[in-house]
Amino acid sequence: MAVNDRGNIRRLFAALLTSTAACVAAAYPLPVSAQDSPLAPAVADGAKMLLRANELTYNQDSQRVTAVGGVQIYYNRYRMVAQRVEYDQKSGRVMATGNIELIEPGGTRVYADAMDVTDNFGQGFANSLRVETTDNTRLVAESAEQLPDDKMVLNNGVYTACLPCAQRPDKAPLWQVKAQRVIRDGKAHTIRLEHAQFELFGMPIGYVPFVTVPDETVERKSGFIFPRATVTDKLGVGLTVPYYHVFSPSMDATISPTYYTKQGLLLQGEVRNRFENGDHTFRFAYIDQKDPGAFVKGTSDERADQRAMVASKARFEINPRWAFGWNVMAQTDNNFSKTYKLTDVAGTPFTNDIYLTGVGQRNYFDLHNYYFDIQDTDARRTAEKQQAIVYPSLDYLYYAPESVAGGELKVTSNFTNLSRRLDDFYTEGTSTRFRGLEGSYSRFSSEAEWKRTFTTDEGLLLTPILAARGDVLRHTGDAAPGFNGVTYAGGFEGDSASTRYMLTAGLEARYPILIEGAGSSHIIEPMAQIFARPDEQLAGRLPNEDAQSFVFDATSLFDRDKFSGFDRIEGGTRANVGIRYNGSFDNGIGVRGIFGQSYRIAGLNSFATADLVNVGAQSGLESDVSDFVAMAAVDLPQGYSFQGQGRFDEKSFELRRADASISYSLPRVSGSLIYTNIQAQPDYGLNTDSQYLKSAANFRINENWSLGTSATWDLNNDRVIRRGIGVTYADECTIFTVGYTDKPASTDANDWTVTARLSFRTLGDINIGGDTTR
């Protein structure tokens, strides 16, 4: 009923007068076009009025036009149907009765039993009104009044964004808001609910004097957002009342003041800008804590009174290939954002990053500068000072556009420059690992690799590989770092500059064998590699910043350099031998697997050489003959997938490491079960065997309800170290979740979290979180 082109309605009913000439034919349900006449002024956009009715009469004495029986009117993109429509030319009143439906140009539908309005819809009344908007919000009222300033006032109205139940349309929706008055403002594009009572599952859950929401025409509109609530141990009960403001089509902001019963008012805000080639978000927060003593004494939370944070995040597309951006944050102490769970900056570590990236068809450029904020309660910021400050890290990858000697040429380069304010080390049993040293470290590395594949007449694939690498390094630090009486004995050199190189000549041979049978096909591929190289130069005598994580398994068996970064180089002559298998069956089953072993043939074994983190210790590659590695996987068409891989002692075939997983995705159930078994690696900092079992599952109870569970077991110590459960309800208008997680094995008996979220479409969210770990 709230239409935007009200003046055209007057013309519509004036045009009805010109249709009296068609009264003879009105008994036939045919559309009648308004003809040119002095009584019918020109309508907007030159539109014509179409009328269909079983009976059309004009009383010249009373100046009334009456359409009866299946009345259908189309005029200037407005459509209306009713059982009876009567227009009084003298009073300018339009009276419609019987199953009225008015469809506005924007798609909103208005239903009523009776309407009595002026011919321009400027004023009037309607009984038993129902409004259905294009975004599936609904308004129902006992009666409604149309006011001159494009406002509609509904009395005893009900507002909801839920669809009615198909089986029981008279049943109350999942949630609705009952209000004494509902004001639908066509100019401000808002819906105001006064004396509003919220109902969930037909039961009242809250009352507010008024609430205003944007109507269906609004994508963004200034105003208050639905309040949020939180419950925490050290902060108390928190109530957030966000306010959203639109400055322009490309700029908006959200101010979110939160009052905590124990700590006072937290002011948090976010300003967003969108540009033609990117976007920028600025965040800030401030609080003057009322009771810092509620936190543990001596922590950064307890020592702080006034706490503040500013953050900036941006990304700009310079052109289709290049992008520049940053994500940075600064705060008055090292735990403010984490303690108050500030939006998008509460994680630890928070990674400050300034970057420039470029992607081409044959090359890739990636430049990053990093600073890691370790958010913890240590007022001395020890862990943060142990982190590397990276300025910068540059990676460049280039593929030659044309073949070189019939093969592919690739160039890989990396430049890393960083510094650290404190030594980063830890001791596990008798092993001390120096993950980083106080001082600075710079390295530039570049490597060129060429390879070409030849195929013999018998189907053997031969790939010769040539590679050359050079490094320039500079570092400062103590010559012989030590801790708790343990001194690194690997010959580490202190403040020095050095260079190193690595030349590689290799050959890879593969002989894929295709076997096709009834209903299946199989590829069995024996594979062997040999790489001849000099010994790794300065092995163990340099810092190791980016090659600290190392796992030897089937996925890395055929890697030319099995180290994970540039700081270590695999040297010596080595051969890798194994077999790969892929099978597929017509019934949809897929099978794949790898089995093999690696051999040091000559030269220094890089994995048996100590470095500051003992990266190769007990890895399975420290001996001349490596452990066996294997992987097998089966994919079933029913939605199941099984995968397992392991490392086995090369002499006794004893299990050294195993990873197995089962995943499933069925119509109502999905999840995974992951098993990990790691034998002790004392020199690598793992003194005891470890066995873990991790499960995650989601059960879809019905179309709307689902249940999620997760748990992690420490099988060696026979205990659950983490568990959680959550329930979710979701439909077209509501999302409700509640979750619980805890860590039973933690020394902190209160290490648990409860979270809940109730989201009403078009209204907002209610968030409740409990976390006693603060």
Side-chain angles (χ1 to χ4, degrees), residues 317-396:
E317 303 292 337
I318 301 173
N319 57 41
R321 294 186 177 185
W322 288 92
F324 169 70
W326 63 85
N327 185 18
V328 296
M329 183 265 287
Q331 53 187 351
T332 53
D333 61 85
N334 59 315
N335 208 40
F336 175 40
S337 297
K338 180 182 177 183
T339 298
Y340 286 88
K341 292 188 175 180
L342 302 182
T343 303
D344 289 339
V345 293
T348 185
F350 177 85
T351 303
N352 294 271
D353 182 15
I354 302 174
Y355 61 88
L356 173 66
T357 60
V359 180
Q361 293 182 348
R362 306 287 297 179
N363 54 5
Y364 175 70
F365 178 95
D366 189 59
L367 175 69
H368 286 265
N369 298 267
Y370 296 113
Y371 181 89
F372 302 97
D373 271 305
I374 305 299
Q375 303 201 63
D376 58 20
T377 58
D378 181 8
R380 297 173 298 177
R381 302 187 181 217
T382 301
E384 184 171 312
K385 293 176 182 178
Q386 291 177 331
Q387 298 300 306
I389 304 173
V390 184
Y391 42 88
S393 173
L394 168 64
D395 287 288
Y396 181 73

Side-chain angles (χ1 to χ4, degrees), residues 599-619:
Y599 306 89
R600 186 189 72 87
I601 297 176
L604 178 70
N605 187 347
S606 296
F607 304 102
T609 303
D611 70 0
L612 290 170
V613 293
N614 289 328
V615 67
Q618 287 99 34
S619 65

